[in-house]
Amino acid sequence: MLRCVGLLLHCFSVIKDKSAGIVCCHVLLIVSFTSLYLRYLASFIPEDNLLETSEVTSEGNIRQSINLDDTLDFRARHGVETRTSWKAPIIWEGMFDPVLYDQTHIQNQSSVALTVFAVGRYLDAYLKTFLTSAEQHFMSGLKVRYYVFTDEPDSVPNIELGPQRSLKVIQVEKHSRWQDISMMRMKTISDTIESDIRHHCNYVFCLDVDQEFKGRFGSEALGDSVAQIHAYFYKLPKERWTYDKNPNSKANMEYGDYYYHAAVFGGLLEHVKSLADHCFLGIMEDKLNDVEALWHDESHLNKYFWLHKPTRLLSPEYCWDTNNIDNDIHIAHLIWAEKHYDTLRDQ
Ligand code: GAL
């Protein structure tokens, strides 16, 4: 519309002939009124809660962002927060209709990339359980493409995959410090979104490998920008949240909304790419200044979500440590595996 008006004004200024100018004026008025009238008519169309935005990608595919938040039952759960102060839902069991979510996402051909890093001894210890349990519970019914990043591609177990599910192994360097393995994944995720994921999927979820799916982890978890509330901190007072407090680090923050866990994050490709780029830049700047944030990439991720609020939060039911006993947890969709840091990490 703006372009159209601009073009007509331009024509008007170059056309010296008075009568042609009057014709242009009329055309301009008709275009403006038609646009206003169409907007007026659109205001009577009931708000469709299925498709929030759609966008044509550089490859010409239509990418849609689905929003079924109006169908969530925010009062289904007592004693827990189900919505943030900026109105993003916090997903707990009982709030959503799984059939509606699945049908809508299947109809719209949502496809999900699941990235996981299995480097060094983490591969043997966790990858098989992670993948086999994901086959049972992660985004069942949707197109899923696993991206396994490892230093030993030949050791990736052969898992029988369901229909519409594929797996790609990508070789990565094994940094000697586990902190670097964790931090550098941000760059790998960003690069892979650009080189591969964007040709296959519209959502991406990035998970730690030392976890096991125990129940449905379905399309209700999909959103534009998704953060996971850390199981250990959601009931603790803010003063005990482990943000980075070093003023020399890019991750430094005094206040925050929640303490998020870097073991699970996701969203639409473009959001996850921005998150990964932001965290990677912060990590590199810290390296130049010889500082390291308290909880490495997780500190930078918390800073990112403080500056760019997530549109969907997953309750601790989506990443739970079964060593904790808590009546708020009705179902643990994904659980922490035993960590064995002493034998699995090099330093
Ligand atoms: C621990 C967890 C770490 C990190 C830390 C933050 O429980 O194992 O990965 O999230 O909390 O304080």
Side-chain angles (χ1 to χ4, degrees):
M1 169 69 191
L2 275 178
R3 271 195 204 154
C4 197
V5 171
L7 189 68
L8 282 165
L9 283 175
H10 176 71
C11 291
F12 186 57
S13 66
V14 292
I15 295 168
K16 299 283 181 255
D17 180 330
K18 209 173 165 192
S19 60
I22 289 167
V23 171
C24 272
C25 240
H26 276 103
V27 174
L28 181 58
L29 281 172
I30 290 166
V31 170
S32 308
F33 279 117
T34 311
S35 156
L36 282 175
Y37 183 62
L38 285 176
R39 279 191 197 180
Y40 171 72
L41 285 182
S43 70
F44 289 100
I45 297 172
E47 208 172 279
D48 186 341
N49 58 14
L50 293 187
L51 302 180
E52 196 180 42
T53 55
S54 74
E55 144 197 3
V56 180
T57 65
S58 49
E59 295 84 49
N61 303 325
I62 297 200
R63 187 172 283 166
Q64 289 160 334
S65 162
I66 289 169
N67 188 345
L68 291 166
D69 291 356
D70 289 350
T71 69
L72 291 171
D73 181 356
F74 290 97
R75 281 181 294 203
R77 296 291 300 263
H78 303 286
V80 293
E81 208 184 348
T82 56
R83 218 194 296 241
T84 66
S85 58
W86 61 95
K87 302 276 179 272
I90 306 174
I91 307 298
W92 292 87
E93 188 62 12
M95 284 175 59
F96 57 89
D97 175 350
V99 176
L100 176 68
Y101 267 91
D102 286 351
Q103 275 174 353
T104 313
H105 277 281
I106 289 169
Q107 241 171 42
N108 287 283
Q109 301 184 330
S110 297
S111 47
V112 189
L114 174 54
T115 72
V116 66
F117 285 71
V119 176
R121 290 188 282 272
Y122 273 68
L123 192 153
D124 275 347
Y126 300 118
L127 186 61
K128 189 165 184 197
T129 307
F130 179 88
L131 290 173
T132 45
S133 65
E135 272 302 277
Q136 284 177 292
H137 301 295
F138 183 75
M139 303 292 162
S140 303
L142 264 63
K143 189 175 149 204
V144 169
R145 188 163 159 88
Y146 300 99
Y147 288 84
V148 175
F149 299 97
T150 181
D151 53 326
E152 283 184 42
D154 295 341
S155 309
V156 172
N158 212 348
I159 307 284
E160 203 184 314
L161 300 174
Q164 293 207 87
R165 302 180 76 103
S166 59
L167 186 146
K168 178 160 178 145
V169 178
I170 297 180
Q171 182 153 18
V172 290
E173 183 188 341
K174 180 180 181 304
H175 295 279
S176 55
R177 296 171 65 242
W178 67 265
Q179 295 89 337
D180 286 328
I181 295 174
S182 186
M183 291 192 288
M184 291 307 159
R185 73 183 169 140
M186 291 297 183
K187 166 135 181 62
T188 310
I189 288 169
S190 172
D191 289 350
T192 312
I193 288 176
E194 200 52 42
S195 63
D196 191 307
I197 298 177
R198 73 190 178 96
H199 302 297
H200 301 278
C201 302
N202 52 341
Y203 290 97
V204 58
F205 259 82
C206 308
L207 266 65
D208 280 356
V209 70
D210 49 356
Q211 312 190 83
E212 181 177 355
F213 292 90
K214 285 287 187 183
R216 172 194 166 89
F217 195 117
S219 55
E220 74 282 0
L222 297 174
D224 290 9
S225 162
V226 185
Q228 172 66 54
I229 299 178
H230 198 299
Y232 272 41
F233 300 96
Y234 87 107
K235 277 191 169 162
L236 290 184
K238 287 189 172 199
E239 305 74 61
R240 297 192 46 195
W241 295 356
T242 51
Y243 295 136
D244 182 88
K245 297 282 168 56
N246 176 358
N248 296 326
S249 168
K250 287 296 282 177
N252 165 62
M253 58 194 279
E254 283 299 317
Y255 315 101
D257 307 299
Y258 299 88
Y259 188 81
Y260 301 114
H261 197 175
V264 176
F265 59 91
L268 286 173
L269 295 192
E270 29 286 316
H271 286 276
V272 178
K273 183 159 168 28
S274 312
L275 177 156
D277 288 343
H278 172 104
C279 291
F280 180 64
L281 282 178
I283 289 163
M284 292 319 279
E285 199 170 322
D286 277 5
K287 278 193 182 295
L288 285 176
N289 294 324
D290 215 14
V291 283
E292 191 162 279
L294 182 65
W295 279 101
H296 325 106
D297 48 328
E298 183 168 280
S299 301
H300 291 275
L301 173 125
N302 269 280
K303 180 72 174 275
Y304 178 84
F305 280 136
W306 167 241
L307 300 174
H308 309 273
K309 307 291 186 212
T311 62
R312 193 172 207 76
L313 275 65
L314 300 180
S315 71
E317 290 179 334
Y318 283 83
C319 185
W320 185 241
D321 181 358
T322 46
N323 290 316
N324 288 346
I325 308 288
D326 191 327
N327 290 337
D328 287 340
I329 307 302
H330 289 188
I331 167 178
H333 304 263
L334 173 78
I335 62 165
W336 301 21
E338 285 298 327
K339 299 288 179 188
H340 306 301
Y341 290 145
D342 47 339
T343 51
L344 294 177
R345 287 180 172 172
D346 284 334
Q347 287 176 44

